[in-house]
């Protein structure tokens, strides 16, 4: 099966069910390893996030992040609290165009756009990045293992040069 060399995820409403700028850093873990914001509000990942990242990582597929959040420090603080950094090879987390993120991801990784897959919850980002030749997937209600596996099958059935 032909697999992408890198799968890139948005963060907000893709890997976790909130916008980072709508919760209050600094973030921390309580005694039971639950991640909380500064007000004590629990923040969490979508239920399949860790399983998805583990599966891709174990298949040798590189994982990247592309987020336009204005809460850059908060997003970067959450990644180790959720133990996600062990899976992530490339991170582009800052406001601006996702096209800029992908140009940097392509340059840093050396992978062609056609060897990448991208999951995001916003149609405008899917439209912009698909024009680069990336296999893009709109995520309506958070990423799921089923969706990722289905899209890996779609990716493998496409002819790539």
């Amino acid at each position: 099966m032909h697999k992408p060399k890198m799968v890139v995820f948005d963060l907000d409403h893709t890997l976790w069910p909130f916008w980072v700028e709508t919760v209050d850093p600094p973030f921390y873990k309580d005694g039971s390893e639950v991640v909380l914001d500064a007000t004590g509000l629990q923040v969490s990942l979508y239920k399949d996030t860790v399983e998805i990242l583990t599966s891709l990582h174990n298949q040798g597929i590189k994982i990247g992040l592309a987020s336009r959040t204005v809460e850059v420090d908060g997003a970067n603080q959450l990644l180790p609290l959720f133990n996600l950094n062990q899976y992530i090879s490339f991170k582009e987390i800052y406001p601006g165009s996702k096209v800029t993120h992908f140009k940097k991801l392509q340059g840093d990784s050396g992978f062609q756009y056609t060897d990448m897959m991208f999951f995001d919850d916003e149609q405008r980002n899917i439209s912009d990045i698909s024009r680069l030749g990336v296999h893009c997937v709109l995520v309506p209600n958070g990423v799921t293992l089923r969706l990722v596996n289905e899209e890996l099958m779609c990716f493998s059935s496409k002819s790539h040069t």
Side-chain angles (χ1 to χ4, degrees):
M1 176 163 92
H2 181 78
K3 297 178 186 176
K5 293 181 179 172
M6 179 164 56
V7 175
V8 180
F9 295 93
D10 176 40
L11 293 173
D12 297 342
H13 291 281
T14 302
L15 293 184
W16 51 54
F18 55 89
W19 287 287
V20 178
E21 57 265 23
T22 63
V23 290
D24 297 308
F27 303 99
Y28 64 97
K29 281 186 180 179
D30 69 6
S32 61
E33 295 295 298
V34 173
V35 179
L36 305 169
D37 77 356
T39 69
L41 177 72
Q42 181 176 341
V43 292
S44 59
L45 299 168
Y46 283 113
K47 73 177 183 67
D48 288 357
T49 296
V50 172
E51 188 176 0
I52 291 164
L53 298 181
T54 301
S55 174
L56 293 171
H57 184 77
N58 289 344
Q59 293 176 64
I61 298 171
K62 297 294 183 194
I63 298 168
L65 300 176
S67 175
R68 299 168 5 127
T69 186
V70 296
E71 185 49 68
V72 176
D73 291 341
N76 279 305
Q77 188 182 28
L78 284 168
L79 294 172
L81 288 171
F82 288 132
N83 300 312
L84 299 184
N85 279 336
Q86 62 186 317
Y87 306 109
I88 310 302
S89 298
F90 303 96
K91 286 190 264 190
E92 296 300 318
I93 302 174
Y94 47 85
S97 168
K98 292 268 173 118
V99 172
T100 303
H101 292 139
F102 268 81
K103 286 181 178 176
K104 185 87 166 64
L105 289 167
Q106 194 278 327
D108 289 349
S109 70
F111 299 141
Q112 298 300 312
Y113 293 127
T114 53
D115 287 323
M116 298 180 191
M117 184 181 289
F118 177 49
F119 292 85
D120 196 297
D121 67 309
E122 292 187 56
Q123 183 59 52
R124 65 181 173 165
N125 296 326
I126 297 297
S127 297
D128 289 347
I129 300 309
S130 64
R131 288 188 201 105
L132 299 174
V134 175
H135 180 102
C136 294
V137 182
L138 184 64
V139 177
N141 296 302
V143 72
T144 64
L145 186 60
R146 179 178 177 178
L147 178 63
V148 171
N149 286 336
E150 287 171 356
E151 291 301 326
L152 286 170
M153 293 301 292
C154 289
F155 186 94
S156 80
S157 69
K158 289 168 56 174
S159 66
H160 288 84
T161 55

